[in-house]
Amino acid sequence: MELKSVDGRATLAEDAVVLTFDSKLGVTAKKEVSPRVIPFKHVREVDFAAPIVWKPGHLRIITHADQERKNPALDTYAVQLGAGRRLKEAQEFVELLQAAVAAVECEEPEPSTEVVKTAPTFKDVIRNAQEAGNAYSELKKNTGMFRGLVLSGRTLSKGNQSWPASECEIVIDSGANVSARVTGTRVAAGAILAGPAGALLGSIAKKDRSAIYMTVITPDDMFLEKVSGLDEAKAREFATKVKRAGMLQSREDEKAAADEANRHTAAVPAPPPRGVPAGWYPRGDVQEYWDGSAWTGNTAPLVHD
């Protein structure tokens, strides 16, 4: 089972819990030890603070009595759980972890093989404080809720449904424009807008065409809320947060795809220079035939001595 967190994820392996810190929100100290593999037999205590709608939580692994307890944003034995994340998912993960720990005999871990660092300098302290502050500010920017919709990190959720923010769209507009847009969207998708949202859309066609509405379009559903008056500003602020989170996710996905493409390209050796005799030469994870002037496209498995 895997539990997503603000700074990465926690995963239950066969005999260990693995903490991976791969988010841009993570601080340098945590990324340096990622992934941290903690055998169940080394775990003495599971420190769990449940995430709630307005307050983030954390999952911290305590391995020995003298392990320092500190802010989860800096603790390399802890993952942060964003506010608004589904509580049931986190509780289920913790219960499985505690059961796995209880099933093995506790054993003191071997002395740490990590490089022992000298006492941090004043600049290190300031840098860590700034990184922790930046991580909190980033989390705050990407956390919010409005009318039952919850934004946590890069995920938008409503009830037990959730979607990547990059695949969602929130539009704040007048009833006249919303009526045409929503109807066209649903017809194009071959779906019917029903329930409270459908009733509200029907009322727009008859009246309140000048009122302001919030349309939330997700990959598999649509929500419609009237937000005239004081709620309009809150709705626009929430829509901006969702859009920003989606843009950040899209950029991260594009960068990951580009890095993967660059890695693959770098792994393929350049062709032999002109004048090299024809023959089979290594090319990536295979060997390819070089006819003396160009690659022929004929490949064969690498031959290992």
Side-chain angles (χ1 to χ4, degrees), residues 30-100:
K30 301 183 88 167
K31 291 184 178 180
E32 288 177 351
V33 299
S34 181
R36 179 177 284 286
V37 180
I38 309 171
F40 295 140
K41 62 183 180 181
H42 291 171
V43 180
R44 285 186 176 275
E45 178 187 346
V46 178
D47 177 16
F48 172 59
I52 51 182
V53 172
W54 59 87
K55 183 179 180 181
H58 68 261
L59 169 63
R60 181 187 287 108
I61 310 301
I62 307 299
T63 59
H64 45 84
D66 60 348
Q67 181 176 320
E68 181 182 0
R69 293 171 181 251
K70 53 187 177 182
N71 188 326
L74 301 174
D75 191 350
T76 61
Y77 285 84
V79 292
Q80 302 176 89
L81 305 176
R85 188 169 297 279
R86 292 191 298 275
L87 174 61
K88 183 178 179 181
E89 177 185 348
Q91 290 177 325
E92 181 181 354
F93 185 93
V94 172
E95 288 175 0
L96 291 175
L97 173 58
Q98 290 175 329

Side-chain angles (χ1 to χ4, degrees), residues 52-152:
I52 51 182
V53 172
W54 59 87
K55 183 179 180 181
H58 68 261
L59 169 63
R60 181 187 287 108
I61 310 301
I62 307 299
T63 59
H64 45 84
D66 60 348
Q67 181 176 320
E68 181 182 0
R69 293 171 181 251
K70 53 187 177 182
N71 188 326
L74 301 174
D75 191 350
T76 61
Y77 285 84
V79 292
Q80 302 176 89
L81 305 176
R85 188 169 297 279
R86 292 191 298 275
L87 174 61
K88 183 178 179 181
E89 177 185 348
Q91 290 177 325
E92 181 181 354
F93 185 93
V94 172
E95 288 175 0
L96 291 175
L97 173 58
Q98 290 175 329
V101 171
V104 299
E105 184 177 352
C106 183
E107 178 182 306
E108 290 290 345
E110 296 292 329
S112 176
T113 58
E114 296 178 17
V115 176
V116 178
K117 299 181 179 180
T118 58
T121 64
F122 178 73
K123 288 184 177 180
D124 291 333
V125 173
I126 296 299
R127 184 196 64 181
N128 287 336
Q130 289 174 336
E131 288 180 334
N134 291 339
Y136 176 77
S137 297
E138 190 69 17
L139 173 61
K140 187 175 180 180
K141 288 179 182 178
N142 294 332
T143 302
M145 63 182 300
F146 182 78
R147 298 283 184 88
L149 290 162
V150 178
L151 175 66
S152 180

Side-chain angles (χ1 to χ4, degrees), residues 155-218:
T155 302
L156 180 67
S157 61
K158 183 178 178 68
N160 59 357
Q161 296 177 288
S162 62
W163 313 269
S166 58
E167 298 180 15
C168 299
E169 180 184 6
I170 298 181
V171 180
I172 313 294
D173 210 340
S174 67
N177 293 333
V178 168
S179 181
R181 180 186 303 107
V182 172
T183 303
T185 300
R186 301 306 283 183
V187 170
I192 300 176
L193 188 64
L200 183 56
L201 180 60
S203 70
I204 292 176
K206 300 176 182 178
K207 56 183 180 180
D208 293 339
R209 294 175 63 82
S210 62
I212 302 300
Y213 294 83
M214 178 178 75
T215 309
V216 183
I217 304 173
T218 72

